[in-house]
Structures are given as C-alpha cells and as structure tokens.
Amino acid sequence: MELATNFRFIGDYASAEEILKYVIARSPKYPVAMINLAVLYQQNLKNYAEAEKYYLQFFSIDSINVSTYIDLSHMYRYQYLAKADLADDILIQGLGKHPGDLGFAVELAHYYRDTNNIAAARTYYAQAIASAEKDNNTKVAEVLRVELAALPK
C-alpha cells in the first residue's frame, strides 16, 4: 500500500493502479485499497466510472465511513456530471445507514439549498439542527438556524 501511495505521489499512476488492483485481488475485503483506488481514479486519472465502481464496492465492505459518501456525492455533483442527479441519492443512502448524522443532514440541506429545492432544504436543515442540539453543539445549531432563516420564503 505504501508503495502505491509513493507511486501516486510521484505521478506514476499506472504503477499505483497496478499495485492497488493487485492488493484488491489478493484481499478483496480490504477497504483501504479500494478507497485509494477510487480516489486515484477520481482525482488523478479522471475515470469517474471506475471511481464510482470502487466507491460502491467500498460501501459494501465499510458503510461506516461518512466522509466517503460525501466524497462520492461531490464527485457526482462536480465532476461526473452525467450522474449529477445521484449526488443527493448517495447522501440519502448514507443517512439511511446513519440516521440522525449531522454531516449527512448538513450536506443534504446545502445540496438542496444550492439546487433551489427549498422545501427539501428546510427539511434537512431541521434535521441538522435537531442533530446538533442533540449533541449539545449549540454553535453549529445556531449557524444552521441562520442559514435556514436566509432561505427564500
């Protein structure tokens, strides 16, 4: 794995890809190799279909990692434009696996705000505020209230 990281760092993406695929072939349930290959395809090789494939395989092994759902959502939204409509779907899927998670609720609130789905944005802002208050995170709850109040009527 370290060798793949070193190859990626120096820009030898083909060697990094080869090593990561080898690791996955030998240990198909090793999530670190899978996510590293997804990131290599997304960030360096710009092969979004392959990145998506490895993100989704990663979720079948490790559905706990919240930030990875957000990463895939951002890839759909900002890079893999042919599948931009899946940006919120993957966040909703993640929220289903992590009910009440503040990060998913905030991401969904922002997504719907930015795409002008104000009704959905309000729903997820309310969820995010409730999650922040449940966690006694009053500063985040207050910021979210300000954002909610700024939404068009």
Side-chain angles (χ1 to χ4, degrees):
M1 287 298 306
E2 188 175 328
L3 186 57
T5 301
N6 290 339
F7 278 125
R8 183 173 173 231
F9 181 73
I10 64 168
D12 185 349
Y13 305 133
S15 295
E17 177 185 28
E18 182 179 343
I19 290 166
L20 290 168
K21 283 185 169 185
Y22 174 80
V23 170
I24 291 168
R26 301 275 301 173
S27 302
K29 299 271 186 208
Y30 186 52
V32 175
M34 219 160 288
I35 198 60
N36 282 327
L37 189 53
V39 169
L40 175 71
Y41 280 125
Q42 177 188 359
Q43 293 179 2
N44 304 109
L45 300 175
K46 309 298 185 202
N47 184 336
Y48 304 124
E50 284 297 301
E52 176 190 43
K53 171 182 161 184
Y54 286 100
Y55 273 119
L56 295 175
Q57 284 183 18
F58 173 83
F59 295 140
S60 72
I61 296 167
D62 180 353
S63 63
I64 296 171
N65 192 320
V66 172
S67 66
T68 305
Y69 285 92
I70 294 169
D71 292 343
L72 178 55
S73 173
H74 287 184
M75 184 185 82
Y76 284 144
R77 186 172 178 192
Y78 300 112
Q79 296 170 302
Y80 196 8
L81 300 181
K83 292 200 172 184
D85 60 316
L86 297 178
D88 59 334
D89 294 345
I90 197 68
L91 294 172
I92 292 168
Q93 178 183 331
L95 184 60
K97 293 182 185 219
H98 303 277
D101 182 86
L102 177 62
F104 284 121
V106 169
E107 283 290 326
L108 282 160
H110 289 165
Y111 173 81
Y112 288 124
R113 176 199 64 198
D114 296 346
T115 58
N116 209 29
N117 184 339
I118 303 306
R122 289 183 189 286
T123 298
Y124 287 104
Y125 269 113
Q127 283 186 25
I129 291 166
S131 292
E133 288 174 342
K134 181 181 168 209
D135 294 340
N136 294 319
N137 199 336
T138 55
K139 289 182 181 181
V140 169
E142 186 54 38
V143 168
L144 292 169
R145 278 191 197 87
V146 170
E147 290 181 12
L148 176 59
L151 291 176
K153 301 293 180 202

PDB file of all heavy atoms in Angstrom, residues 15 30 108:
ATOM      1  N   SER A  15       1.459   2.608 -12.205  1.00  0.00           N
ATOM      2  CA  SER A  15       2.037   1.688 -11.217  1.00  0.00           C
ATOM      3  C   SER A  15       1.195   1.665  -9.947  1.00  0.00           C
ATOM      4  O   SER A  15       0.978   0.594  -9.361  1.00  0.00           O
ATOM      5  CB  SER A  15       3.475   2.089 -10.891  1.00  0.00           C
ATOM      6  OG  SER A  15       4.292   1.935 -12.033  1.00  0.00           O
ATOM      7  N   TYR A  30     -10.433  -5.702   1.641  1.00  0.00           N
ATOM      8  CA  TYR A  30      -9.547  -4.700   2.241  1.00  0.00           C
ATOM      9  C   TYR A  30      -9.992  -3.310   1.784  1.00  0.00           C
ATOM     10  O   TYR A  30      -9.681  -2.883   0.666  1.00  0.00           O
ATOM     11  CB  TYR A  30      -8.095  -4.978   1.863  1.00  0.00           C
ATOM     12  CG  TYR A  30      -7.094  -4.093   2.549  1.00  0.00           C
ATOM     13  CD1 TYR A  30      -7.086  -3.932   3.928  1.00  0.00           C
ATOM     14  CD2 TYR A  30      -6.140  -3.410   1.811  1.00  0.00           C
ATOM     15  CE1 TYR A  30      -6.165  -3.112   4.555  1.00  0.00           C
ATOM     16  CE2 TYR A  30      -5.202  -2.600   2.428  1.00  0.00           C
ATOM     17  CZ  TYR A  30      -5.227  -2.455   3.798  1.00  0.00           C
ATOM     18  OH  TYR A  30      -4.315  -1.640   4.418  1.00  0.00           O
ATOM     19  N   LEU A 108     -27.050  17.461   2.821  1.00  0.00           N
ATOM     20  CA  LEU A 108     -28.311  17.451   2.079  1.00  0.00           C
ATOM     21  C   LEU A 108     -28.979  18.821   2.110  1.00  0.00           C
ATOM     22  O   LEU A 108     -29.506  19.283   1.094  1.00  0.00           O
ATOM     23  CB  LEU A 108     -29.240  16.365   2.624  1.00  0.00           C
ATOM     24  CG  LEU A 108     -28.886  14.956   2.163  1.00  0.00           C
ATOM     25  CD1 LEU A 108     -29.496  13.903   3.076  1.00  0.00           C
ATOM     26  CD2 LEU A 108     -29.324  14.741   0.720  1.00  0.00           C
TER      27      LEU A 108
END
